[in-house]
Amino acid sequence: MKFYKDHYDVIVIGGALAGLSAALMLADKGKDVLVLERHNLPGGIATSFVRGGIEIEAALHEMMSIGSKDHRLKVGKFFDDMGVDIDWLKVPEAYHAAIPGLEVTLHPGLETFAREVDAAVPGTYDKVLAVLNLCHTVFDSVNELSIHPMSKVQMLMKHEAFVKTAGYSTQEVLDTFDLPQKALDLLAPYWIYVGTGFKELPFTIFSVLMADYIGYGSYIPRKFSHEMSLKMAERAEDMGVQIEYRQHVDKILVKDGKAYGVRTARGDEIYADYVISSAYPNKVYTSMIEPADAVPVGAIKMVNGRRLSLTAFSVILILDKSAEELGIKDYSVFHGDTMDTNACYDELKGLGPYRYITCICHNLANPDATPEGTCSYSITTLPRVDGWKTVSADEYDRVKHEVARQLIDYMSEYLGVNLLDHVLECVIETPMTVAHYTGMWNGCIYGYAHTMEDHIVARLQTAEEEHFIDHLEFSGAHQISGDGMGPAVTNGRKAAKNVLDTMAKEAKA
Ligand SMILES: Cc1cc2nc3c(=O)[nH]c(=O)nc-3n(C[C@H](O)[C@H](O)[C@H](O)COP(=O)(O)OP(=O)(O)OC[C@H]3O[C@@H](n4cnc5c(N)ncnc54)[C@H](O)[C@@H]3O)c2cc1C
């Protein structure tokens, strides 16, 4: 039996959220799609695994851009439109911020959030609400402009707040509100989800983050993030997509500046009009293009010029008592010695001790996440990869356990419970685990850093120039919308749209 067809419209490398979103959108438009995934199951980082008979979420804390059933945001709507039926659970709070002298739980809803900040830092309601409303206005503009690009003059007339703030950092814009430090601290915790300190973080990115998460709340699938990838893969196959697992793509074949197929590690050459890659551009341009001299110098300059964003270190514990018995009160807690995001970012370049930590207790959003009388508690920090690159193979095991122990001790002290006395299962994920499992370049889950020089607005402007090989598109956290599971879906859709637009343009020519 022949394994592959003679030819496909599109080959997608990687069957995780970004790749599967691209495949769904292309199949929906009647295209013949092949997805090649090197693992034996879909999802990449959006996965779960079983230890001691208990299913454990590998990564997801919270999804953005889902929205309620009555008011779906773009990612939630895409799942609905594609017939991917996810059982979404709303996360009860925005977050609990835990820093010395400040312990505050904040809930989604712009006014609710501002009121709760005001209760902790009296007299700040109007200013905090003004910040959040500004974020919301910018967020609406970004959403509209991503679908309906317009001239600069039109933009200035219709999207004044977006245009006025687009060239400024988060710090520069927040400074204009003259808020007390404690209120600023309460607005800061989500910075880690975009991984750049406020001095360098474009206000546009901060706005999208705050308006989406705080305006509409966040969600998780009842059956862990793997519910998304499994159902997407199932639906894609129903729509005629061929998905092949355990097929590592070694090479992308290029002729006359145009991609025309791939070669897998087991030697199959498969042909298509277009290739979409979830593998990082760094990996593709340095070792996957065949022939290697088909890579333009500009492509190498681009990947060398981009700064990689954060990676992850996570300790996932299954504990032998319920959250209530252990005194864990909130689903999501951000801990720090400080909420000075610039200082936190600097600290993340080393190997610890890490003090900016995000903890999740799944059972507080999903009571059935683990068997009754137990709970799942993950302690995550998001280091930069710099420190981890210095760890030798001989040292790796020791360093990994030391860092995990430090995080467990830190949280034990905070909770007033020795977590080690309650461990049923313990899984440690390091940047190396992520790199090994997904092939992400340097284990960077967040793609390229958002900085004032290089972020969504700038990337949209340079997208054309950065298209180095015809009929080759990229999808993944490394693309325009940036990091996270929601943006991975958006990036996959964008790659599919680029393919469809080129197909239409070439058909006309
Ligand atoms: C601990 C942790 C916590 C996180 N928490 C959150 C969170 O709460 N919210 C959130 O939104 N995001 C979170 N993230 C980030 C998020 O998981 C990623 O940004 C997102 O899943 C990236 O999706 P992707 O499709 O781009 O890539 P990946 O999931 O990395 O998928 C890439 C896929 O391509 C396959 N592949 C790569 N190369 C090849 C090849 N050559 N041939 C064939 N297949 C290939 C890989 O096997 C993989 O399946 C977290 C990540 C981690 C590690």
Side-chain angles (χ1 to χ4, degrees):
M1 196 186 81
K2 213 163 158 257
F3 202 59
Y4 296 112
K5 294 179 191 171
D6 290 337
H7 188 268
Y8 296 85
D9 292 328
V10 186
I11 293 172
V12 177
I13 304 171
L17 295 184
L20 289 171
S21 302
L24 280 165
M25 185 160 155
L26 290 163
D28 188 54
K29 298 285 180 236
K31 303 302 169 200
D32 194 8
V33 183
L34 169 67
V35 175
L36 295 167
E37 166 54 52
R38 60 189 202 132
H39 276 294
N40 58 351
L41 73 180
I45 286 286
T47 195
S48 54
F49 48 85
V50 175
R51 291 280 188 283
I54 298 175
E55 187 173 357
I56 301 175
E57 168 65 57
L60 182 65
H61 291 199
E62 45 188 333
M63 282 285 287
M64 69 192 303
S65 308
I66 300 301
S68 65
K69 248 195 183 128
D70 316 329
H71 185 87
R72 282 282 191 242
L73 302 183
K74 61 183 175 189
V75 174
K77 185 167 180 331
F78 176 70
F79 282 119
D80 290 352
D81 291 349
M82 289 295 124
V84 179
D85 182 20
I86 309 288
D87 188 359
W88 294 112
L89 300 172
K90 189 165 184 187
V91 169
E93 69 270 306
Y95 47 76
H96 179 92
I99 38 175
L102 208 56
E103 289 279 344
V104 182
T105 303
L106 299 160
H107 293 85
L110 304 188
E111 284 167 14
T112 307
F113 190 94
R115 219 174 11 254
E116 289 173 344
V117 173
D118 186 67
V121 194
T124 55
Y125 178 82
D126 289 340
K127 284 185 183 175
V128 170
L129 190 60
V131 171
L132 297 176
N133 281 333
L134 174 62
C135 290
H136 207 279
T137 308
V138 172
F139 171 72
D140 284 344
S141 295
V142 170
N143 283 335
E144 194 184 330
L145 290 168
S146 63
I147 300 169
H148 306 295
M150 55 183 70
S151 74
K152 283 183 184 143
V153 177
Q154 279 175 317
M155 225 192 275
L156 198 52
M157 282 164 63
K158 261 196 95 182
H159 299 281
E160 195 186 339
F162 166 77
V163 175
K164 276 191 170 164
T165 55
Y168 292 96
S169 70
T170 303
Q171 185 142 340
E172 285 169 319
V173 177
L174 289 182
D175 280 351
T176 65
F177 286 86
D178 196 24
L179 276 160
Q181 189 55 46
K182 275 191 174 175
L184 286 171
D185 288 346
L186 292 176
L187 286 166
Y190 277 148
W191 82 276
I192 198 69
Y193 285 175
V194 282
T196 308
F198 283 177
K199 250 195 236 159
E200 279 199 288
L201 181 70
F203 183 72
T204 314
I205 303 293
F206 177 75
S207 297
V208 171
L209 183 77
M210 295 298 272
D212 195 309
Y213 274 121
I214 290 173
Y216 301 96
S218 59
Y219 289 78
I220 53 169
R222 185 182 296 277
K223 294 189 178 148
F224 309 105
S225 58
H226 213 193
E227 180 177 350
M228 287 187 280
S229 26
L230 278 179
K231 286 188 172 165
M232 287 168 94
E234 220 171 78
R235 181 71 187 123
E237 286 184 320
D238 284 350
M239 291 163 83
V241 174
Q242 182 182 349
I243 306 182
E244 298 299 342
Y245 297 102
R246 288 184 289 156
Q247 300 304 318
H248 183 104
V249 174
D250 256 354
K251 297 289 174 194
I252 297 173
L253 310 174
V254 174
K255 195 172 175 197
D256 300 330
K258 191 192 269 192
Y260 68 95
V262 301
R263 184 175 319 108
T264 64
R266 71 172 200 180
D268 294 303
E269 266 194 20
I270 318 165
Y271 306 112
D273 289 334
Y274 293 81
V275 175
I276 293 179
S277 169
S278 304
Y280 265 60
N282 306 56
K283 173 82 182 163
V284 168
Y285 291 132
T286 54
S287 64
M288 286 176 72
I289 299 293
E290 185 173 290
D293 63 9
V295 179
V297 176
I300 302 294
K301 281 190 179 163
M302 182 201 72
V303 294
N304 283 339
R306 289 238 144 95
R307 191 209 295 173
L308 288 167
S309 191
L310 305 181
T311 173
F313 186 101
S314 201
V315 183
I316 308 171
L317 301 170
I318 301 296
L319 301 169
D320 69 356
K321 293 219 177 317
S322 68
E324 200 183 7
E325 287 170 304
L326 292 168
I328 303 170
K329 296 191 186 73
D330 298 286
Y331 173 80
S332 166
V333 182
F334 291 92
H335 297 264
D337 283 348
T338 167
M339 285 286 157
D340 176 343
T341 59
N342 306 310
C344 294
Y345 180 74
D346 283 346
E347 174 202 283
L348 292 171
K349 70 169 179 272
L351 288 168
Y354 299 116
R355 305 304 271 182
Y356 195 86
I357 293 165
T358 152
C359 292
I360 296 291
C361 179
H362 282 100
N363 304 66
L364 293 173
N366 183 1
D368 300 326
T370 59
E372 214 180 322
T374 68
C375 71
S376 151
Y377 187 66
S378 76
I379 312 171
T380 302
T381 184
L382 293 135
R384 287 151 68 183
V385 77
D386 317 47
W388 286 88
K389 280 167 97 169
T390 64
V391 179
S392 68
D394 290 344
E395 290 277 277
Y396 174 68
D397 210 43
R398 181 187 61 75
V399 174
K400 162 177 144 169
H401 284 98
E402 263 177 29
V403 174
R405 181 63 194 256
Q406 175 249 321
L407 294 178
I408 294 171
D409 288 348
Y410 186 23
M411 284 309 108
S412 295
E413 200 182 316
Y414 174 76
L415 291 167
V417 173
N418 185 3
L419 291 171
L420 286 175
D421 291 342
H422 296 281
V423 174
L424 293 174
E425 295 294 334
C426 173
V427 180
I428 306 170
E429 289 174 11
T430 74
M432 279 68 182
T433 319
V434 177
H436 178 69
Y437 186 76
T438 66
M440 279 184 170
W441 189 255
N442 282 284
C444 286
I445 56 167
Y446 274 7
Y448 302 117
H450 302 278
T451 63
M452 287 306 294
E453 293 80 37
D454 181 25
H455 61 94
I456 185 164
V457 181
R459 287 178 201 170
L460 279 168
Q461 310 273 326
T462 53
E464 279 279 303
E465 288 161 42
E466 289 175 357
H467 203 264
F468 296 104
I469 294 180
D470 288 343
H471 290 206
L472 172 61
E473 297 290 341
F474 287 91
S475 70
H478 41 75
Q479 287 308 291
I480 284 180
S481 291
D483 54 78
M485 296 199 186
V489 170
T490 305
N491 285 326
R493 294 172 64 190
K494 175 80 177 118
K497 183 175 182 306
N498 288 350
V499 165
L500 293 167
D501 288 350
T502 313
M503 281 176 173
K505 210 158 66 189
E506 291 185 356
K508 252 194 209 163

